[in-house]
């Protein structure tokens, strides 16, 4: 074990200037714990691959690793990303950016105490679920409302409350899977309800539903096929038909709407996404949808519908595990209050991005292009920069087949495309772009105010960091990954 003898002592690592300086800011025991882990790894490496490395080298290495791990820990991992993808509701990017109204509500309430569960009139204990109920009822036309952690939780709670140990009828064409492992059959199982599939993938008739109803049936369920469409030779049971079958059999109908849009976006060319109000008008008993998809608010699952069912959900023990905190309630209240105003699409970021006109997008794209031309147009790695029409997407499983004509800047490099994209992802703030036709593509639809200046700087910096490696001729060799 000769080669293990040079492993540095803890004291020497802590005294090393790279590490000692940290101790003025960071707790000593944290630094010690990290240094211990670094030493253990060093030991494991030397055991796996025996070699004699000088003591001073190992000490340098241990000190450097300790410092970089502590720096990474204090920096945290959740960070700002500039969304140049043109996908408005990008689940990997945290879905909806919040509106100023939502942020102000959080800002005003989160730092102090609130009446979260206090009835200020009586001085008695109140319910946190009371806060959003009137607002949601007013906006959707429903009798009652309840907000939980996310839409998956909303579906789970609804099924568990109404159909635990009993049967739920669903059309085979609606057994959806949403990204991030939300599958109707799995949620059904987790809720304790028994799934009864009827019809076929492409065709289900009201009679299929009616014939499947038996003494064990508790609920008729409809899921919005938010991330796909079945086209061609198709027949699906409409909400109205489902409600009619349900009424005849004395059974409630639940609709998992997914995205939950409150305003009709068809004037902006976004047709075919049903609104929450339409579901309620059709007579659906329980409607569930997400807070952070087209609604443009925080992550939440919103349940609206008949009071009797919502009251039963409020009494379900499961609710305690799915409940929302004051931050969510504040952000959602701020978001929903905007929907009382005349033009919510002017202040809810998600709606703003979806309703920006082509003229404005093109103008922004031209401006970004000009600024990039001026900053990096002459760089030896840059082949061309152009403003171009492109296709954006709504994302978040809404409008799956809807193309959203957009604009953006296309940059062709002389090689190193993947490397440049990676450097941009790793920069601060991170910049996420698209790669298409061997070019870097930045859509302007999903950019926020101030992003343009940052993008120009980040791409300039990325090219500079590659500058050391630039020769007169850059080989078009295989890209590193
Ligand atoms: C997105 C979606 C869900 C899941 O909602 P989360 O808020 O992500 O939990 C469930 N059902 C449908 C139809 C959806 O589109």
């Amino acid at each position: 074990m000769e080669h293990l003898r040079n492993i540095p002592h803890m004291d020497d690592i802590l005294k090393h200037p790279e590490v000692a300086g940290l101790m003025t800011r960071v707790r000593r025991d944290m630094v010690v714990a990290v240094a211990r882990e670094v030493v253990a790894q060093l030991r494991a490496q030397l055991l796996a691959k025996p070699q004699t490395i000088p003591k001073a080298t190992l000490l340098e290495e241990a000190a450097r690793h300790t410092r970089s791990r502590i720096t990474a820990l204090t920096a945290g991992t959740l960070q700002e990303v500039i969304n140049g993808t043109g996908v408005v509701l990008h689940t990997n990017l945290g879905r909806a950016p919040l509106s100023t109204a939502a942020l102000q509500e959080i800002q005003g309430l989160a730092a102090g105490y609130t009446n979260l569960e206090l009835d200020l009139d009586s001085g008695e204990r109140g319910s946190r679920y009371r806060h959003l109920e009137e607002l949601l009822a007013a906006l959707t036309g429903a009798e009652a409302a309840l907000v939980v952690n996310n839409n998956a939780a909303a579906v789970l709670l609804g099924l568990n409350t109404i159909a635990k140990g009993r049967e739920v009828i669903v059309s085979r064409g609606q057994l959806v899977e949403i990204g991030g492992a939300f599958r109707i059959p799995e949620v059904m199982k987790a809720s304790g309800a028994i799934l009864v599939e009827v019809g076929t993938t492409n065709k289900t008739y009201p009679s299929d539903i009616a014939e499947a109803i038996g003494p064990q049936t508790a609920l008729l369920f409809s899921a919005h096929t938010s991330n796909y469409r079945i086209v061609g030779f198709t027949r699906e049971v409409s909400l109205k038909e489902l409600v009619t079958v349900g009424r005849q059999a004395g059974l409630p109908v639940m609709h998992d709407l997914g995205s939950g849009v409150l305003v009709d976006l068809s004037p902006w060319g976004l047709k075919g996404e049903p609104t929450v109000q339409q579901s309620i008008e059709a007579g659906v008993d329980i409607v569930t949808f997400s807070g952070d998809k087209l609604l443009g608010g925080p992550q939440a699952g919103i349940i609206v519908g008949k009071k009797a069912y919502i009251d039963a959900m409020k009494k379900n023990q499961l609710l305690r595990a799915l409940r929302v905190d004051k931050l969510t309630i504040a952000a959602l209240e701020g978001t929903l209050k905007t929907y009382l105003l005349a033009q919510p699409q002017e202040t809810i970021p998600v709606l703003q991005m979806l309703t920006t006109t082509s003229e404005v997008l093109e103008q922004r794209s031209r401006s970004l292009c000009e600024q990039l031309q001026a900053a990096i147009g002459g760089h030896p790695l840059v082949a061309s920069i152009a403003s171009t029409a492109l296709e954006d997407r709504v994302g978040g499983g809404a409008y799956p087949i809807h193309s959203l004509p957009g604009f953006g800047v296309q940059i062709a490099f002389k090689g190193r495309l993947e490397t440049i994209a990676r450097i941009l992802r790793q920069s601060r703030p991170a910049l996420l772009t698209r790669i298409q036709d061997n070019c870097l593509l930045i859509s302007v639809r999903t950019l926020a105010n101030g992003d343009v200046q940052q993008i120009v700087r980040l791409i300039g910096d990325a090219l500079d960091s590659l500058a050391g490696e630039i020769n007169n001729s850059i080989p078009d060799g295989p890209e590193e990954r």
Side-chain angles (χ1 to χ4, degrees), residues 213-352:
I213 294 174
Q216 281 308 305
T217 309
L219 181 68
L220 308 184
F221 186 91
S222 172
H224 180 49
T225 57
S226 38
N227 52 7
Y228 65 97
R229 293 282 184 270
I230 297 173
V231 294
F233 187 56
T234 64
R235 171 73 160 90
E236 192 50 270
V237 180
S238 73
L239 276 183
K240 284 223 166 76
E241 290 169 334
L242 196 64
V243 167
T244 304
V245 176
R247 294 254 164 92
Q248 276 162 5
L251 291 169
V253 171
M254 178 164 159
H255 187 202
D256 174 14
L257 195 45
S259 212
V261 62
L262 290 177
V263 289
D264 178 14
L265 293 174
S266 55
W268 290 277
L270 290 159
K271 294 186 169 59
E273 194 72 17
T275 63
V276 181
Q277 296 91 317
Q278 283 167 349
S279 279
I280 294 293
E281 260 165 43
V284 171
D285 300 276
I286 305 119
V287 184
T288 71
F289 54 100
S290 297
D292 56 354
K293 289 186 180 171
L294 285 173
L295 191 75
Q299 179 190 304
I302 301 169
I303 310 168
V304 295
K306 302 271 161 67
K307 188 170 183 316
Y309 298 111
I310 303 272
D311 282 348
M313 290 183 217
K314 286 180 182 167
K315 292 199 191 95
N316 189 332
Q317 268 299 308
L318 196 53
L319 178 60
R320 182 64 178 77
L322 308 175
R323 81 177 188 186
V324 279
D325 76 327
K326 63 179 178 205
L327 296 183
T328 303
I329 294 173
L332 198 52
E333 193 166 81
T335 307
L336 290 172
K337 283 198 296 200
T338 305
Y339 281 95
L340 295 171
L341 309 177
Q343 306 291 347
Q345 77 281 358
E346 287 174 8
T347 48
I348 304 268
V350 165
L351 299 184
Q352 270 178 327

Side-chain angles (χ1 to χ4, degrees), residues 162-168 194 196 212-219 251:
I162 297 166
K164 188 181 175 195
R166 297 179 62 203
E167 291 175 358
V168 179
I194 300 153
V196 176
I213 294 174
Q216 281 308 305
T217 309
L219 181 68
L251 291 169

Side-chain angles (χ1 to χ4, degrees), residues 59-240:
L59 176 61
E60 284 304 318
E61 189 142 318
R64 197 166 45 79
H65 274 107
T66 303
R67 185 184 180 88
S68 71
R69 278 196 207 174
I70 294 280
T71 308
L73 274 175
T74 53
T77 54
L78 190 62
Q79 56 161 313
E80 186 193 341
V81 175
I82 295 174
N83 180 4
T85 66
V87 181
V88 176
L89 292 166
H90 201 304
T91 298
N92 300 155
L93 300 184
R95 289 195 186 155
L98 293 181
S99 64
T100 307
L103 294 176
Q104 280 171 348
E105 200 86 12
I106 296 175
Q107 177 104 39
L109 295 170
Y113 299 107
T114 63
N115 62 338
L116 181 66
E117 289 192 353
L118 182 73
D119 183 334
L120 291 172
D121 287 336
S122 65
E124 312 258 297
R125 179 160 199 229
S127 163
R128 69 178 59 215
Y129 302 110
R130 158 186 61 96
H131 296 286
L132 298 160
E133 191 156 13
E134 262 183 53
L135 205 44
L136 280 166
L139 289 167
T140 64
E143 285 177 10
L146 177 61
V147 177
V148 291
N149 184 50
N150 57 12
N151 187 33
V155 175
L156 182 73
L157 182 67
L159 291 172
N160 180 269
T161 307
I162 297 166
K164 188 181 175 195
R166 297 179 62 203
E167 291 175 358
V168 179
I169 299 174
V170 190
S171 159
R172 285 204 168 85
Q174 297 179 355
L175 297 175
V176 304
E177 171 178 314
I178 308 294
F182 175 92
R183 296 175 134 194
I184 293 290
E186 306 300 323
V187 176
M188 221 38 99
K189 208 179 282 172
S191 75
I194 300 153
L195 171 65
V196 176
E197 305 173 23
V198 300
T200 61
T201 305
N202 58 327
K203 290 216 173 195
T204 302
Y205 301 89
S207 58
D208 293 326
I209 309 261
E211 282 158 22
I213 294 174
Q216 281 308 305
T217 309
L219 181 68
L220 308 184
F221 186 91
S222 172
H224 180 49
T225 57
S226 38
N227 52 7
Y228 65 97
R229 293 282 184 270
I230 297 173
V231 294
F233 187 56
T234 64
R235 171 73 160 90
E236 192 50 270
V237 180
S238 73
L239 276 183
K240 284 223 166 76

